[in-house]
Amino acid sequence: MNRNAIHALAVAAALSVNLALAPSAAAADWPDRPITLIVPFPAGGGTDTFARPLAQQLSMQLGQTMVVDNKGGAGGTVGAGVAAKAKPDGYTFFMGGAHHAVAPSLYKNLSYDIQKDFVPVALLAQPPQVVVVNASKLPVNSLQEFIEYARKRPGEINFGTAGKGSTHHLAGELFALQTDIKLVDVPYQGAGPMLSALIGGQVDLAFDGLGSSAGHIRAGSIKPLAVAAAQRSPSFPDVPTVAEAGLPGYEVSTWYAMWAPAGTPQPVVDKMIAEVTKALNTPKIKEIWAGNGSTIPSVTGAQFGSFVDSEIERWANVVKQSGVTLD
């Protein structure tokens, strides 16, 4: 073998070694610039309530800024589509939630597949939903009073949602179905605008995640009637569960989570999982989560992926039962 051939083989061998080591090297250096966290709803909503303090904590841990980028629209599917097409280099992550387990049953032409176009990172928060009303518009002090009030006024009471097909929407439809009342849904571009409308009196009530409603409840801007969970929230011990309020069998919780675009190097994903786990166990995040009525989940990686699969199936059944359709 001549000298040129030997040199060529050596170069090829070195190149193959470098390529094999590239993902690990990239993970070791990651992150070396700011990271974008796409939130598919406007600022002020439930997702945003958890995303911003988490991004701040992760920025401190990683030594690089994590920037929250709100891209609302179409029940969270617009932002999800943008995130799915982001470069999978470890510098874009996506924070969605239960809405994205609902979407496959409602939208015929989604621009993404939550199970194929993303890598599951971690379940981040699980606050229960709460039935909240504008007290100046609805003269009721309990869930049972509201049900009786609504039955006498079919089609006259409206509820705000974070968009057609959102968990807010389906929770309201399911509630109406189980109580035999007729409500009119009013969609908004996210929970933030919806809550502003509720506080301002443009809508009568909402079926909202406790995380985004908590501050407004404490401020007295809206009145909680019941939490849609098996147990009362430690943050609001005086608010009864829906079952205690006279409607057994109605339980709806929401959840928020993080994904990475498919193709993101696994070592980077693993490192983010470790950092998220660390962040969720800091005293500061625990305090914020508790204040928003949420537990601290411990579900990451493949286990979280399996959770999403089960949620897609569960919400498909709810969509079928409620009869909700989208054009």
Side-chain angles (χ1 to χ4, degrees):
M1 186 178 292
N2 61 40
R3 183 176 299 175
N4 288 338
I6 293 173
H7 177 71
L9 287 173
V11 170
L15 181 60
S16 65
V17 169
N18 287 337
L19 288 173
L21 293 176
S24 297
D29 296 336
W30 178 89
D32 60 8
R33 62 181 188 272
I35 300 167
T36 297
L37 179 63
I38 295 177
V39 172
F41 295 100
T47 315
D48 204 62
T49 298
F50 291 98
R52 291 187 180 274
L54 179 63
Q56 185 178 30
Q57 179 63 36
L58 288 173
S59 296
M60 293 171 57
Q61 292 177 195
L62 294 168
Q64 292 288 342
T65 302
M66 176 172 274
V67 181
V68 174
D69 184 8
N70 295 94
K71 293 187 180 297
T77 61
V78 171
V82 172
K85 295 175 176 61
K87 186 177 180 180
D89 57 2
Y91 291 91
T92 300
F93 287 83
F94 172 64
M95 186 164 169
H99 310 281
H100 298 94
V102 175
S105 300
L106 289 171
Y107 294 88
K108 296 180 180 179
N109 298 302
L110 286 175
S111 64
Y112 67 93
D113 185 318
I114 196 68
Q115 294 167 293
K116 296 179 180 179
D117 295 335
F118 291 95
V119 177
V121 175
L123 186 64
L124 302 173
Q126 287 183 290
Q129 286 202 307
V130 58
V131 183
V132 286
V133 300
N134 180 304
S136 63
K137 291 199 69 180
L138 292 182
V140 297
N141 294 304
S142 70
L143 191 67
Q144 199 57 49
E145 282 186 22
F146 166 67
I147 293 171
E148 293 172 2
Y149 183 86
R151 281 176 177 160
K152 297 175 182 177
R153 298 164 179 81
E156 296 180 19
I157 299 173
N158 58 36
F159 69 101
T161 79
K164 285 283 189 180
S166 64
T167 52
H168 307 78
H169 180 200
L170 289 181
E173 295 289 350
L174 190 60
F175 183 89
L177 187 67
Q178 292 187 4
T179 55
D180 193 29
I181 61 177
K182 183 173 177 57
L183 302 173
V184 178
D185 68 284
V186 181
Y188 290 88
Q189 295 294 319
M194 175 200 73
L195 284 167
S196 294
L198 178 61
I199 293 167
Q202 284 80 52
V203 292
D204 302 312
L205 78 152
F207 301 83
D208 189 34
L210 189 53
S212 48
S213 281
H216 302 295
I217 293 171
R218 291 193 181 95
S221 304
I222 53 180
K223 179 189 292 185
L225 298 183
V227 291
Q231 298 179 336
R232 294 191 182 200
S233 168
S235 303
F236 297 92
D238 295 332
V239 180
T241 66
V242 172
E244 289 174 326
L247 185 60
Y250 179 85
E251 290 185 17
V252 182
S253 63
T254 190
W255 50 267
Y256 304 103
M258 183 186 290
W259 289 262
T264 300
Q266 191 59 46
V268 171
V269 174
D270 291 341
K271 190 171 181 180
M272 179 58 88
I273 289 174
E275 292 296 333
V276 166
T277 300
K278 178 181 176 182
L280 292 177
N281 285 284
T282 59
K284 180 179 179 181
I285 292 296
K286 284 184 175 181
E287 180 181 358
I288 294 172
W289 263 228
N292 289 331
S294 176
T295 56
I296 301 289
S298 181
V299 182
T300 61
Q303 185 183 9
F304 167 50
S306 296
F307 170 81
V308 173
D309 294 342
S310 66
E311 282 289 281
I312 289 173
E313 183 178 353
R314 181 173 83 92
W315 281 109
N317 291 331
V318 173
V319 168
K320 183 178 180 180
Q321 182 180 2
S322 65
V324 173
T325 58
L326 295 180
D327 295 332

